Amino acid sequence: MSTKSQTRFGRTTIGRGSLVAGFIGLQTLAFAAAYSVGQPTLYAYFLVLSAMGVAYLYESDETLLRAGSRFLAVQVAAVVATAVLGTIAGPVLGVLLEAMSVVVSLVPGFLDPVVGVLEALVRIALPFARLPWFYVGVVVLGTAGAVVTTDEGGFTVGAVSFGSVLVVALGLPLFLFVARQAPDLVVEKAMDPDVHRVLYLGVYGPLLAAVLSLLFGVPLAYLLARGFPGQQFVESLVDLPLVVPHSVAGIIILFGFGQGGAFPEVSVLGSIVGMVLAMTFVSAPYAVNTTREAFEAIDDRLEYASRIHGANEWQTFRRVTGPLAVRGMITGGVLAWARAVSEFGAVAVVAYSVSFFYPFAGGEVTAQHAPVFVYNTYLQGGLGESGAVAFLLLAVSALIFLVVRYLTDDDTVIGGVP
């Protein structure tokens, strides 16, 4: 029998990067094929099946041919079983329902409630049996079969298959959004100077909010990680913006910092200051909580060793605690930036449109935050034009995310061991 070191994929010879590139290429081709025939739902099942198959082959101790054959046999059996169950479930429940109407007239009166409950359950199940649950049934039965027949690592196979369902739910609408864009309309919007200003403001404003969140959030996160009396109250205050409705957050900002608020001399309504304050209000919890988790993950003995060797608290933070938590700080800043980019309600209330310095024009211009601009474009130009602008915003955001994630990845030189 082969061993785990003799994996069928030949991980030591092919390399993980090549496998990932091949998998992504295969997924791209599969989505293009499913989309071209107007059946994108088929791709959803393909993604789950292929991810589960890769995990199955990795975890199996059989040869590639035998493991692949057994996996395909299990999936074919799952398809047949789902089709059979889906075909007979509706008629069986219908017959059961008719039988109950006869039983009701025969049983004693004190059993009527029991029969009534059973009849209600059948009536509830009947519509579900008629729904297109084929894909769900195939995934469930196929996963169960793969888990049972895997030599070892059934838990991993199950986790991969069910985790893939969430990936499909998140990724498929995104893929369809990208695929349905009109290239000529996207190019037209990409050349529009108004869109340039919106995209610039959509990156610039959230960046200021993320910097503010980290500047004041990192010290707070450090204190929260160490603990202090009344910490629960501060934690609740920090987390409160997560549950406050977005429009309410904007109103809170106007009451707190607008006319008659904490700083009467500062103009908040309709200004870039108000926009950044609204973004900071809703995004700061992400920076604080993520950084706090990074501080809490540091072994206390490292800081203790630094202190007993003569370093004071600031020197220990600068040389030990800070460097070890820097990845968490960056991640918190990225999450805060992303949250600020997507903010709509609070910004629409506080600063519907703002004037700001636009370096490419050499002076001040007026523009709206990207989500507000997309919403207005949708109202005035429909789904096509708003989709083109949203596509550009999505592309810029995805590019920034990928760059930051790459720089903070464990396998890169920056912030980790190469």
Side-chain angles (χ1 to χ4, degrees):
M1 177 179 291
S2 59
T3 64
K4 297 293 284 184
S5 61
Q6 298 170 315
T7 336
R8 268 56 55 195
F9 276 101
R11 281 174 286 186
T12 57
T13 57
I14 298 178
R16 189 172 61 176
S18 301
L19 289 176
V20 172
F23 186 80
I24 293 177
L26 182 62
Q27 295 299 320
T28 303
L29 292 175
F31 175 76
Y35 182 74
S36 62
V37 298
Q39 295 290 336
T41 309
L42 290 177
Y43 170 71
Y45 176 66
F46 176 80
L47 176 57
V48 177
L49 179 66
S50 58
M52 179 168 46
V54 171
Y56 186 92
L57 297 179
Y58 260 112
E59 298 296 337
S60 176
D61 277 344
E62 299 289 338
T63 62
L64 177 63
L65 180 61
R66 293 187 61 179
S69 301
R70 188 166 60 177
F71 177 74
L72 291 178
V74 169
Q75 299 310 309
V76 170
V79 171
V80 173
T82 304
V84 171
L85 291 174
T87 302
I88 66 175
V92 168
L93 289 176
V95 171
L96 189 60
L97 195 60
E98 293 179 0
M100 282 191 172
S101 62
V102 177
V103 172
V104 169
S105 60
L106 299 177
V107 297
F110 67 90
L111 290 179
D112 285 349
V114 177
V115 177
V117 170
L118 293 176
E119 184 179 357
L121 292 176
V122 174
R123 289 186 181 279
I124 292 174
L126 189 58
F128 285 92
R130 294 169 180 167
L131 290 176
W133 285 87
F134 180 78
Y135 298 100
V136 178
V138 169
V139 170
V140 172
L141 294 181
T143 301
V147 168
V148 170
T149 57
T150 305
D151 300 311
E152 55 182 278
F155 177 78
T156 301
V157 175
V160 169
S161 57
F162 281 103
S164 301
V165 174
L166 181 58
V167 173
V168 168
L170 297 175
L172 188 57
L174 186 63
F175 296 160
L176 289 173
F177 166 75
V178 174
R180 296 179 65 184
Q181 295 304 311
D184 54 342
L185 191 55
V186 172
V187 173
E188 178 186 337
K189 292 297 181 184
M191 303 300 290
D192 188 346
D194 290 338
V195 176
H196 296 167
R197 297 169 183 174
V198 168
L199 294 178
Y200 176 81
L201 183 61
V203 176
Y204 170 67
L207 180 62
L208 293 178
V211 171
L212 283 177
S213 298
L214 285 179
L215 180 63
F216 299 103
V218 170
L220 179 58
Y222 179 79
L223 295 176
L224 290 173
R226 295 298 176 268
F228 55 85
Q231 180 173 345
Q232 291 79 6
F233 173 77
V234 177
E235 288 175 340
S236 301
L237 195 60
V238 170
D239 292 336
L240 192 59
L242 297 175
V243 298
V244 170
H246 298 183
S247 56
V248 175
I251 293 174
I252 291 174
I253 291 296
L254 290 180
F255 269 97
F257 301 103
Q259 188 175 10
F263 305 103
E265 66 278 6
V266 177
S267 176
V268 171
L269 184 63
S271 69
I272 187 71
V273 174
M275 173 182 287
V276 174
L277 281 176
M279 290 177 175
T280 305
F281 183 82
V282 299
S283 62
Y286 296 90
V288 174
N289 290 331
T290 306
T291 307
R292 173 188 173 183
E293 292 175 0
F295 283 135
E296 291 176 340
I298 298 174
D299 192 340
D300 294 338
R301 290 175 294 183
L302 296 175
E303 296 176 298
Y304 178 73
S306 174
R307 295 299 299 275
I308 64 174
H309 282 84
N312 58 31
E313 194 169 5
W314 162 244
Q315 290 171 331
T316 299
F317 179 86
R318 183 167 60 86
R319 295 176 178 175
V320 178
T321 311
L324 290 175
V326 69
R327 196 183 305 280
M329 298 178 195
I330 296 175
T331 301
V334 172
L335 291 177
W337 175 83
R339 180 65 187 84
V341 167
S342 64
E343 180 53 31
F344 172 79
V347 173
V349 171
V350 176
Y352 189 79
S353 61
V354 297
S355 296
F356 60 97
F357 178 76
Y358 186 54
F360 301 102
E364 284 203 349
V365 297
T366 300
Q368 298 169 333
H369 184 39
V372 179
F373 183 81
V374 171
Y375 178 69
N376 284 333
T377 306
Y378 170 72
L379 293 179
Q380 299 171 6
L383 195 59
E385 290 193 16
S386 61
V389 179
F391 175 82
L392 294 173
L393 179 63
L394 180 67
V396 173
S397 302
L399 179 62
I400 294 176
F401 249 123
L402 287 175
V403 170
V404 174
R405 288 296 186 190
Y406 173 77
L407 294 177
T408 57
D409 189 80
D410 288 335
D411 294 333
T412 56
V413 177
I414 299 176
V417 178

PDB file of all heavy atoms in Angstrom, residues 151-186:
ATOM      1  N   ASP A 151     -10.321   6.505   2.751  1.00  0.00           N
ATOM      2  CA  ASP A 151      -9.545   5.650   3.652  1.00  0.00           C
ATOM      3  C   ASP A 151      -9.293   6.359   4.982  1.00  0.00           C
ATOM      4  O   ASP A 151      -9.359   5.772   6.035  1.00  0.00           O
ATOM      5  CB  ASP A 151      -8.210   5.290   2.984  1.00  0.00           C
ATOM      6  CG  ASP A 151      -8.450   4.558   1.679  1.00  0.00           C
ATOM      7  OD1 ASP A 151      -9.242   3.611   1.678  1.00  0.00           O
ATOM      8  OD2 ASP A 151      -7.876   4.979   0.655  1.00  0.00           O
ATOM      9  N   GLU A 152      -8.956   7.613   4.906  1.00  0.00           N
ATOM     10  CA  GLU A 152      -8.783   8.439   6.095  1.00  0.00           C
ATOM     11  C   GLU A 152      -8.950   9.887   5.658  1.00  0.00           C
ATOM     12  O   GLU A 152      -8.932  10.197   4.489  1.00  0.00           O
ATOM     13  CB  GLU A 152      -7.411   8.230   6.729  1.00  0.00           C
ATOM     14  CG  GLU A 152      -6.263   8.442   5.778  1.00  0.00           C
ATOM     15  CD  GLU A 152      -4.936   8.172   6.437  1.00  0.00           C
ATOM     16  OE1 GLU A 152      -4.444   9.083   7.125  1.00  0.00           O
ATOM     17  OE2 GLU A 152      -4.404   7.069   6.264  1.00  0.00           O
ATOM     18  N   GLY A 153      -9.156  10.744   6.597  1.00  0.00           N
ATOM     19  CA  GLY A 153      -9.334  12.144   6.235  1.00  0.00           C
ATOM     20  C   GLY A 153     -10.742  12.472   5.787  1.00  0.00           C
ATOM     21  O   GLY A 153     -10.956  13.429   5.044  1.00  0.00           O
ATOM     22  N   GLY A 154     -11.720  11.663   6.239  1.00  0.00           N
ATOM     23  CA  GLY A 154     -13.104  11.942   5.868  1.00  0.00           C
ATOM     24  C   GLY A 154     -13.592  13.287   6.367  1.00  0.00           C
ATOM     25  O   GLY A 154     -14.399  13.949   5.712  1.00  0.00           O
ATOM     26  N   PHE A 155     -13.082  13.678   7.510  1.00  0.00           N
ATOM     27  CA  PHE A 155     -13.489  14.982   8.051  1.00  0.00           C
ATOM     28  C   PHE A 155     -13.062  16.114   7.114  1.00  0.00           C
ATOM     29  O   PHE A 155     -13.814  17.054   6.873  1.00  0.00           O
ATOM     30  CB  PHE A 155     -12.861  15.184   9.433  1.00  0.00           C
ATOM     31  CG  PHE A 155     -13.160  16.518  10.037  1.00  0.00           C
ATOM     32  CD1 PHE A 155     -14.384  16.773  10.630  1.00  0.00           C
ATOM     33  CD2 PHE A 155     -12.215  17.538   9.994  1.00  0.00           C
ATOM     34  CE1 PHE A 155     -14.672  18.012  11.177  1.00  0.00           C
ATOM     35  CE2 PHE A 155     -12.491  18.780  10.533  1.00  0.00           C
ATOM     36  CZ  PHE A 155     -13.721  19.022  11.132  1.00  0.00           C
ATOM     37  N   THR A 156     -11.841  15.998   6.579  1.00  0.00           N
ATOM     38  CA  THR A 156     -11.355  17.032   5.658  1.00  0.00           C
ATOM     39  C   THR A 156     -12.204  17.071   4.396  1.00  0.00           C
ATOM     40  O   THR A 156     -12.559  18.151   3.901  1.00  0.00           O
ATOM     41  CB  THR A 156      -9.889  16.757   5.294  1.00  0.00           C
ATOM     42  OG1 THR A 156      -9.109  16.757   6.478  1.00  0.00           O
ATOM     43  CG2 THR A 156      -9.357  17.816   4.346  1.00  0.00           C
ATOM     44  N   VAL A 157     -12.551  15.904   3.879  1.00  0.00           N
ATOM     45  CA  VAL A 157     -13.373  15.858   2.673  1.00  0.00           C
ATOM     46  C   VAL A 157     -14.737  16.506   2.933  1.00  0.00           C
ATOM     47  O   VAL A 157     -15.239  17.292   2.118  1.00  0.00           O
ATOM     48  CB  VAL A 157     -13.541  14.405   2.196  1.00  0.00           C
ATOM     49  CG1 VAL A 157     -14.508  14.342   1.011  1.00  0.00           C
ATOM     50  CG2 VAL A 157     -12.200  13.815   1.807  1.00  0.00           C
ATOM     51  N   GLY A 158     -15.346  16.183   4.077  1.00  0.00           N
ATOM     52  CA  GLY A 158     -16.631  16.791   4.416  1.00  0.00           C
ATOM     53  C   GLY A 158     -16.523  18.293   4.599  1.00  0.00           C
ATOM     54  O   GLY A 158     -17.374  19.057   4.127  1.00  0.00           O
ATOM     55  N   ALA A 159     -15.453  18.718   5.269  1.00  0.00           N
ATOM     56  CA  ALA A 159     -15.274  20.164   5.482  1.00  0.00           C
ATOM     57  C   ALA A 159     -15.081  20.900   4.163  1.00  0.00           C
ATOM     58  O   ALA A 159     -15.636  21.999   3.950  1.00  0.00           O
ATOM     59  CB  ALA A 159     -14.075  20.401   6.402  1.00  0.00           C
ATOM     60  N   VAL A 160     -14.321  20.306   3.257  1.00  0.00           N
ATOM     61  CA  VAL A 160     -14.089  20.942   1.952  1.00  0.00           C
ATOM     62  C   VAL A 160     -15.378  21.044   1.151  1.00  0.00           C
ATOM     63  O   VAL A 160     -15.680  22.092   0.557  1.00  0.00           O
ATOM     64  CB  VAL A 160     -13.030  20.142   1.162  1.00  0.00           C
ATOM     65  CG1 VAL A 160     -12.983  20.612  -0.285  1.00  0.00           C
ATOM     66  CG2 VAL A 160     -11.658  20.307   1.797  1.00  0.00           C
ATOM     67  N   SER A 161     -16.162  19.983   1.155  1.00  0.00           N
ATOM     68  CA  SER A 161     -17.386  19.996   0.335  1.00  0.00           C
ATOM     69  C   SER A 161     -18.401  20.997   0.867  1.00  0.00           C
ATOM     70  O   SER A 161     -18.953  21.805   0.103  1.00  0.00           O
ATOM     71  CB  SER A 161     -17.994  18.593   0.272  1.00  0.00           C
ATOM     72  OG  SER A 161     -18.261  18.131   1.585  1.00  0.00           O
ATOM     73  N   PHE A 162     -18.639  21.008   2.166  1.00  0.00           N
ATOM     74  CA  PHE A 162     -19.624  21.947   2.703  1.00  0.00           C
ATOM     75  C   PHE A 162     -19.078  23.379   2.719  1.00  0.00           C
ATOM     76  O   PHE A 162     -19.832  24.324   2.547  1.00  0.00           O
ATOM     77  CB  PHE A 162     -20.041  21.521   4.118  1.00  0.00           C
ATOM     78  CG  PHE A 162     -21.028  20.396   4.116  1.00  0.00           C
ATOM     79  CD1 PHE A 162     -20.630  19.104   4.401  1.00  0.00           C
ATOM     80  CD2 PHE A 162     -22.358  20.620   3.782  1.00  0.00           C
ATOM     81  CE1 PHE A 162     -21.538  18.054   4.370  1.00  0.00           C
ATOM     82  CE2 PHE A 162     -23.271  19.575   3.762  1.00  0.00           C
ATOM     83  CZ  PHE A 162     -22.863  18.290   4.048  1.00  0.00           C
ATOM     84  N   GLY A 163     -17.765  23.520   2.912  1.00  0.00           N
ATOM     85  CA  GLY A 163     -17.192  24.858   2.802  1.00  0.00           C
ATOM     86  C   GLY A 163     -17.296  25.403   1.396  1.00  0.00           C
ATOM     87  O   GLY A 163     -17.464  26.615   1.191  1.00  0.00           O
ATOM     88  N   SER A 164     -17.227  24.505   0.417  1.00  0.00           N
ATOM     89  CA  SER A 164     -17.341  24.937  -0.978  1.00  0.00           C
ATOM     90  C   SER A 164     -18.726  25.503  -1.277  1.00  0.00           C
ATOM     91  O   SER A 164     -18.871  26.356  -2.167  1.00  0.00           O
ATOM     92  CB  SER A 164     -17.048  23.773  -1.923  1.00  0.00           C
ATOM     93  OG  SER A 164     -15.752  23.273  -1.706  1.00  0.00           O
ATOM     94  N   VAL A 165     -19.738  25.017  -0.564  1.00  0.00           N
ATOM     95  CA  VAL A 165     -21.089  25.547  -0.786  1.00  0.00           C
ATOM     96  C   VAL A 165     -21.129  27.041  -0.470  1.00  0.00           C
ATOM     97  O   VAL A 165     -21.726  27.840  -1.207  1.00  0.00           O
ATOM     98  CB  VAL A 165     -22.112  24.781   0.080  1.00  0.00           C
ATOM     99  CG1 VAL A 165     -23.490  25.418  -0.026  1.00  0.00           C
ATOM    100  CG2 VAL A 165     -22.164  23.323  -0.344  1.00  0.00           C
ATOM    101  N   LEU A 166     -20.468  27.433   0.617  1.00  0.00           N
ATOM    102  CA  LEU A 166     -20.433  28.861   0.961  1.00  0.00           C
ATOM    103  C   LEU A 166     -19.618  29.641  -0.066  1.00  0.00           C
ATOM    104  O   LEU A 166     -19.979  30.778  -0.424  1.00  0.00           O
ATOM    105  CB  LEU A 166     -19.834  29.049   2.360  1.00  0.00           C
ATOM    106  CG  LEU A 166     -19.769  30.503   2.857  1.00  0.00           C
ATOM    107  CD1 LEU A 166     -21.163  31.125   2.871  1.00  0.00           C
ATOM    108  CD2 LEU A 166     -19.124  30.577   4.229  1.00  0.00           C
ATOM    109  N   VAL A 167     -18.531  29.040  -0.549  1.00  0.00           N
ATOM    110  CA  VAL A 167     -17.734  29.699  -1.591  1.00  0.00           C
ATOM    111  C   VAL A 167     -18.590  29.941  -2.836  1.00  0.00           C
ATOM    112  O   VAL A 167     -18.517  30.997  -3.470  1.00  0.00           O
ATOM    113  CB  VAL A 167     -16.495  28.842  -1.934  1.00  0.00           C
ATOM    114  CG1 VAL A 167     -15.756  29.431  -3.136  1.00  0.00           C
ATOM    115  CG2 VAL A 167     -15.559  28.771  -0.746  1.00  0.00           C
ATOM    116  N   VAL A 168     -19.423  28.963  -3.165  1.00  0.00           N
ATOM    117  CA  VAL A 168     -20.321  29.126  -4.319  1.00  0.00           C
ATOM    118  C   VAL A 168     -21.308  30.262  -4.072  1.00  0.00           C
ATOM    119  O   VAL A 168     -21.545  31.108  -4.940  1.00  0.00           O
ATOM    120  CB  VAL A 168     -21.070  27.806  -4.587  1.00  0.00           C
ATOM    121  CG1 VAL A 168     -22.202  28.037  -5.585  1.00  0.00           C
ATOM    122  CG2 VAL A 168     -20.116  26.761  -5.118  1.00  0.00           C
ATOM    123  N   ALA A 169     -21.884  30.281  -2.862  1.00  0.00           N
ATOM    124  CA  ALA A 169     -22.867  31.319  -2.551  1.00  0.00           C
ATOM    125  C   ALA A 169     -22.251  32.714  -2.613  1.00  0.00           C
ATOM    126  O   ALA A 169     -22.913  33.681  -2.980  1.00  0.00           O
ATOM    127  CB  ALA A 169     -23.464  31.070  -1.159  1.00  0.00           C
ATOM    128  N   LEU A 170     -20.967  32.804  -2.252  1.00  0.00           N
ATOM    129  CA  LEU A 170     -20.305  34.104  -2.282  1.00  0.00           C
ATOM    130  C   LEU A 170     -19.748  34.435  -3.664  1.00  0.00           C
ATOM    131  O   LEU A 170     -19.792  35.593  -4.105  1.00  0.00           O
ATOM    132  CB  LEU A 170     -19.154  34.128  -1.262  1.00  0.00           C
ATOM    133  CG  LEU A 170     -19.535  33.969   0.209  1.00  0.00           C
ATOM    134  CD1 LEU A 170     -18.282  33.890   1.071  1.00  0.00           C
ATOM    135  CD2 LEU A 170     -20.409  35.125   0.663  1.00  0.00           C
ATOM    136  N   GLY A 171     -19.228  33.416  -4.339  1.00  0.00           N
ATOM    137  CA  GLY A 171     -18.520  33.685  -5.583  1.00  0.00           C
ATOM    138  C   GLY A 171     -19.369  33.680  -6.828  1.00  0.00           C
ATOM    139  O   GLY A 171     -19.133  34.483  -7.746  1.00  0.00           O
ATOM    140  N   LEU A 172     -20.390  32.809  -6.880  1.00  0.00           N
ATOM    141  CA  LEU A 172     -21.166  32.705  -8.119  1.00  0.00           C
ATOM    142  C   LEU A 172     -21.867  34.010  -8.492  1.00  0.00           C
ATOM    143  O   LEU A 172     -21.812  34.427  -9.659  1.00  0.00           O
ATOM    144  CB  LEU A 172     -22.173  31.558  -7.997  1.00  0.00           C
ATOM    145  CG  LEU A 172     -22.920  31.218  -9.289  1.00  0.00           C
ATOM    146  CD1 LEU A 172     -21.937  30.867 -10.392  1.00  0.00           C
ATOM    147  CD2 LEU A 172     -23.902  30.070  -9.074  1.00  0.00           C
ATOM    148  N   PRO A 173     -22.546  34.689  -7.547  1.00  0.00           N
ATOM    149  CA  PRO A 173     -23.138  35.986  -7.930  1.00  0.00           C
ATOM    150  C   PRO A 173     -22.094  36.985  -8.408  1.00  0.00           C
ATOM    151  O   PRO A 173     -22.368  37.780  -9.320  1.00  0.00           O
ATOM    152  CB  PRO A 173     -23.811  36.465  -6.631  1.00  0.00           C
ATOM    153  CG  PRO A 173     -24.018  35.245  -5.827  1.00  0.00           C
ATOM    154  CD  PRO A 173     -22.872  34.336  -6.158  1.00  0.00           C
ATOM    155  N   LEU A 174     -20.903  36.912  -7.816  1.00  0.00           N
ATOM    156  CA  LEU A 174     -19.835  37.824  -8.236  1.00  0.00           C
ATOM    157  C   LEU A 174     -19.375  37.504  -9.651  1.00  0.00           C
ATOM    158  O   LEU A 174     -19.189  38.412 -10.480  1.00  0.00           O
ATOM    159  CB  LEU A 174     -18.668  37.707  -7.253  1.00  0.00           C
ATOM    160  CG  LEU A 174     -17.509  38.683  -7.436  1.00  0.00           C
ATOM    161  CD1 LEU A 174     -17.995  40.114  -7.237  1.00  0.00           C
ATOM    162  CD2 LEU A 174     -16.394  38.368  -6.462  1.00  0.00           C
ATOM    163  N   PHE A 175     -19.200  36.223  -9.957  1.00  0.00           N
ATOM    164  CA  PHE A 175     -18.793  35.826 -11.302  1.00  0.00           C
ATOM    165  C   PHE A 175     -19.844  36.250 -12.329  1.00  0.00           C
ATOM    166  O   PHE A 175     -19.518  36.731 -13.424  1.00  0.00           O
ATOM    167  CB  PHE A 175     -18.589  34.311 -11.375  1.00  0.00           C
ATOM    168  CG  PHE A 175     -17.473  33.809 -10.508  1.00  0.00           C
ATOM    169  CD1 PHE A 175     -17.411  32.479 -10.127  1.00  0.00           C
ATOM    170  CD2 PHE A 175     -16.483  34.669 -10.060  1.00  0.00           C
ATOM    171  CE1 PHE A 175     -16.387  32.021  -9.322  1.00  0.00           C
ATOM    172  CE2 PHE A 175     -15.458  34.222  -9.247  1.00  0.00           C
ATOM    173  CZ  PHE A 175     -15.418  32.898  -8.878  1.00  0.00           C
ATOM    174  N   LEU A 176     -21.112  36.040 -11.985  1.00  0.00           N
ATOM    175  CA  LEU A 176     -22.183  36.410 -12.915  1.00  0.00           C
ATOM    176  C   LEU A 176     -22.230  37.923 -13.115  1.00  0.00           C
ATOM    177  O   LEU A 176     -22.501  38.405 -14.230  1.00  0.00           O
ATOM    178  CB  LEU A 176     -23.528  35.905 -12.389  1.00  0.00           C
ATOM    179  CG  LEU A 176     -23.708  34.384 -12.448  1.00  0.00           C
ATOM    180  CD1 LEU A 176     -25.000  33.975 -11.750  1.00  0.00           C
ATOM    181  CD2 LEU A 176     -23.728  33.912 -13.889  1.00  0.00           C
ATOM    182  N   PHE A 177     -21.970  38.657 -12.040  1.00  0.00           N
ATOM    183  CA  PHE A 177     -21.943  40.117 -12.159  1.00  0.00           C
ATOM    184  C   PHE A 177     -20.863  40.553 -13.138  1.00  0.00           C
ATOM    185  O   PHE A 177     -21.087  41.405 -14.001  1.00  0.00           O
ATOM    186  CB  PHE A 177     -21.692  40.721 -10.773  1.00  0.00           C
ATOM    187  CG  PHE A 177     -21.313  42.179 -10.797  1.00  0.00           C
ATOM    188  CD1 PHE A 177     -22.259  43.155 -11.046  1.00  0.00           C
ATOM    189  CD2 PHE A 177     -20.001  42.562 -10.579  1.00  0.00           C
ATOM    190  CE1 PHE A 177     -21.906  44.493 -11.077  1.00  0.00           C
ATOM    191  CE2 PHE A 177     -19.635  43.897 -10.600  1.00  0.00           C
ATOM    192  CZ  PHE A 177     -20.590  44.872 -10.857  1.00  0.00           C
ATOM    193  N   VAL A 178     -19.685  39.950 -13.018  1.00  0.00           N
ATOM    194  CA  VAL A 178     -18.580  40.311 -13.918  1.00  0.00           C
ATOM    195  C   VAL A 178     -18.884  39.869 -15.346  1.00  0.00           C
ATOM    196  O   VAL A 178     -18.672  40.620 -16.309  1.00  0.00           O
ATOM    197  CB  VAL A 178     -17.263  39.668 -13.415  1.00  0.00           C
ATOM    198  CG1 VAL A 178     -16.140  39.899 -14.423  1.00  0.00           C
ATOM    199  CG2 VAL A 178     -16.885  40.233 -12.062  1.00  0.00           C
ATOM    200  N   ALA A 179     -19.415  38.663 -15.496  1.00  0.00           N
ATOM    201  CA  ALA A 179     -19.649  38.130 -16.839  1.00  0.00           C
ATOM    202  C   ALA A 179     -20.740  38.898 -17.589  1.00  0.00           C
ATOM    203  O   ALA A 179     -20.728  38.939 -18.829  1.00  0.00           O
ATOM    204  CB  ALA A 179     -20.027  36.645 -16.737  1.00  0.00           C
ATOM    205  N   ARG A 180     -21.667  39.494 -16.867  1.00  0.00           N
ATOM    206  CA  ARG A 180     -22.800  40.162 -17.526  1.00  0.00           C
ATOM    207  C   ARG A 180     -22.546  41.637 -17.822  1.00  0.00           C
ATOM    208  O   ARG A 180     -23.440  42.334 -18.293  1.00  0.00           O
ATOM    209  CB  ARG A 180     -24.049  40.006 -16.646  1.00  0.00           C
ATOM    210  CG  ARG A 180     -24.508  38.562 -16.492  1.00  0.00           C
ATOM    211  CD  ARG A 180     -25.727  38.459 -15.601  1.00  0.00           C
ATOM    212  NE  ARG A 180     -26.877  39.117 -16.187  1.00  0.00           N
ATOM    213  CZ  ARG A 180     -28.044  39.242 -15.571  1.00  0.00           C
ATOM    214  NH1 ARG A 180     -28.195  38.747 -14.356  1.00  0.00           N
ATOM    215  NH2 ARG A 180     -29.056  39.849 -16.158  1.00  0.00           N
ATOM    216  N   GLN A 181     -21.339  42.104 -17.542  1.00  0.00           N
ATOM    217  CA  GLN A 181     -21.046  43.505 -17.833  1.00  0.00           C
ATOM    218  C   GLN A 181     -20.809  43.701 -19.331  1.00  0.00           C
ATOM    219  O   GLN A 181     -20.242  42.833 -19.997  1.00  0.00           O
ATOM    220  CB  GLN A 181     -19.816  43.962 -17.050  1.00  0.00           C
ATOM    221  CG  GLN A 181     -20.003  43.958 -15.551  1.00  0.00           C
ATOM    222  CD  GLN A 181     -21.199  44.797 -15.107  1.00  0.00           C
ATOM    223  OE1 GLN A 181     -21.361  45.937 -15.527  1.00  0.00           O
ATOM    224  NE2 GLN A 181     -22.051  44.209 -14.274  1.00  0.00           N
ATOM    225  N   ALA A 182     -21.245  44.859 -19.839  1.00  0.00           N
ATOM    226  CA  ALA A 182     -21.006  45.217 -21.241  1.00  0.00           C
ATOM    227  C   ALA A 182     -19.640  45.902 -21.336  1.00  0.00           C
ATOM    228  O   ALA A 182     -19.457  46.985 -20.762  1.00  0.00           O
ATOM    229  CB  ALA A 182     -22.105  46.139 -21.740  1.00  0.00           C
ATOM    230  N   PRO A 183     -18.682  45.310 -22.056  1.00  0.00           N
ATOM    231  CA  PRO A 183     -17.321  45.892 -22.102  1.00  0.00           C
ATOM    232  C   PRO A 183     -17.309  47.334 -22.602  1.00  0.00           C
ATOM    233  O   PRO A 183     -16.542  48.156 -22.072  1.00  0.00           O
ATOM    234  CB  PRO A 183     -16.581  44.951 -23.059  1.00  0.00           C
ATOM    235  CG  PRO A 183     -17.327  43.661 -22.977  1.00  0.00           C
ATOM    236  CD  PRO A 183     -18.752  44.038 -22.777  1.00  0.00           C
ATOM    237  N   ASP A 184     -18.115  47.648 -23.644  1.00  0.00           N
ATOM    238  CA  ASP A 184     -18.099  49.019 -24.169  1.00  0.00           C
ATOM    239  C   ASP A 184     -18.589  50.027 -23.136  1.00  0.00           C
ATOM    240  O   ASP A 184     -18.060  51.144 -23.024  1.00  0.00           O
ATOM    241  CB  ASP A 184     -18.940  49.107 -25.437  1.00  0.00           C
ATOM    242  CG  ASP A 184     -20.349  48.584 -25.210  1.00  0.00           C
ATOM    243  OD1 ASP A 184     -20.566  47.859 -24.214  1.00  0.00           O
ATOM    244  OD2 ASP A 184     -21.241  48.921 -26.016  1.00  0.00           O
ATOM    245  N   LEU A 185     -19.591  49.619 -22.315  1.00  0.00           N
ATOM    246  CA  LEU A 185     -20.098  50.523 -21.279  1.00  0.00           C
ATOM    247  C   LEU A 185     -19.084  50.695 -20.153  1.00  0.00           C
ATOM    248  O   LEU A 185     -18.930  51.795 -19.600  1.00  0.00           O
ATOM    249  CB  LEU A 185     -21.424  49.976 -20.728  1.00  0.00           C
ATOM    250  CG  LEU A 185     -22.236  50.920 -19.833  1.00  0.00           C
ATOM    251  CD1 LEU A 185     -22.508  52.245 -20.533  1.00  0.00           C
ATOM    252  CD2 LEU A 185     -23.528  50.252 -19.397  1.00  0.00           C
ATOM    253  N   VAL A 186     -18.394  49.615 -19.827  1.00  0.00           N
ATOM    254  CA  VAL A 186     -17.353  49.703 -18.790  1.00  0.00           C
ATOM    255  C   VAL A 186     -16.233  50.630 -19.246  1.00  0.00           C
ATOM    256  O   VAL A 186     -15.741  51.474 -18.472  1.00  0.00           O
ATOM    257  CB  VAL A 186     -16.801  48.295 -18.479  1.00  0.00           C
ATOM    258  CG1 VAL A 186     -15.589  48.395 -17.543  1.00  0.00           C
ATOM    259  CG2 VAL A 186     -17.874  47.426 -17.841  1.00  0.00           C
TER     260      VAL A 186
END
